[in-house]
Amino acid sequence: MQNNRQAVLIWDLPTRLFHWALVVCIVGAFVTVKLGGLYMDWHIRFGCATLGLLLFRLIWGFIGPRYARFSQFLRGPAAVVRYLKGAAAPAGHNPLGALSVLALLLVLGFQAVSGLFTSDDIMVQGPLYGHVAEATAGAMTSWHKLNEWVIIGLVALHLLAVAWYALVRRKRLVRTIITGKADARDVPPGTPPADNGAAVWLRALLLAAVVTGLVLWIRSLEIVADMSFS
């Protein structure tokens, strides 16, 4: 029997913009740190942008639309086991995918925060390097470098999972996070669409403005630190 149900909007546009902006920042930060030299200024910019995006997503997980909220997709171990045994996945993140999202947010958050206190002992320092003890900055720098491998591993697993879903389960996750719409066959019947109205946009714009101001304030502390040591 042919399924005539229409695709369902799952991911609101602010959530989708966050996702792809984060991809750009991760790739940009990785490339610039490998190039080194003058590109390290851009590495810091990408890191600060990542921090802002993660702060946005953290708060959006409480005030955003239905499927963007942590309460909707974060489940306990029992839900993960049921899903692995073949239970139907809810709309949005499945229980296993939710753990992957949480892990990525945590390690990327640590990378962004630790980067604020790092130094290459040559010419590049994080915005808050001058506000902590040298031993603390040294520890943060070491952890920042080690955590890069954790991020590479998690991103690789994430990409493999997306490929597996596309090739084996025939679920086009990339298309869904671009258009926001999930195929009707991939969501339970009666799944309500995500709210993408004016109220959602207003919350997103206000939150983005607040987060941008906070990140710019953190960057300004670098100038204060430089002046205090001049």
Side-chain angles (χ1 to χ4, degrees), residues 20-218:
W20 294 113
L22 186 62
V23 170
V24 170
C25 286
I26 292 172
V27 173
F30 182 79
V31 171
T32 51
V33 78
K34 297 308 175 186
L35 292 174
L38 297 178
Y39 289 99
M40 289 301 294
D41 288 338
W42 277 101
H43 179 73
I44 293 177
R45 292 187 184 105
F46 280 122
C48 288
T50 298
L51 177 63
L53 287 169
L54 293 173
L55 288 173
F56 176 91
R57 186 63 183 92
L58 176 63
I59 301 173
W60 198 240
F62 295 97
I63 68 173
R66 179 193 303 266
Y67 304 107
R69 299 196 177 198
F70 299 129
S71 60
Q72 193 277 334
F73 63 83
L74 289 181
R75 296 289 184 266
V80 176
V81 172
R82 287 195 298 269
Y83 175 73
L84 292 175
K85 290 182 177 180
H93 294 300
N94 62 61
L96 191 59
L99 294 181
S100 174
V101 170
L102 181 61
L104 277 170
L105 292 178
L106 288 174
V107 297
L108 289 173
F110 178 80
Q111 193 73 350
V113 172
S114 62
L116 298 174
F117 305 94
T118 58
S119 172
D120 64 356
D121 294 326
I122 302 175
M123 58 179 293
V124 180
Q125 299 172 349
L128 301 184
Y129 170 78
H131 295 267
V132 296
E134 186 175 346
T136 301
M140 286 291 188
T141 302
S142 297
W143 296 337
H144 189 78
K145 292 177 180 178
L146 289 173
N147 195 51
E148 178 184 327
W149 292 103
V150 179
I151 293 173
I152 291 173
L154 286 177
V155 169
L157 286 175
H158 183 73
L159 294 176
L160 286 173
V162 170
W164 183 82
Y165 271 97
L167 298 174
V168 179
R169 299 290 293 273
R170 301 297 180 182
K171 290 186 177 184
R172 300 174 181 177
L173 300 182
V174 174
R175 186 180 68 177
T176 299
I177 200 61
I178 292 175
T179 66
K181 295 180 179 180
D183 193 297
R185 297 168 298 179
D186 297 332
V187 297
T191 296
D195 184 6
N196 201 35
V200 171
W201 272 100
L202 180 59
R203 289 201 302 271
L205 290 173
L206 289 175
L207 177 57
V210 171
V211 169
T212 300
L214 178 60
V215 172
L216 291 176
W217 174 73
I218 291 174

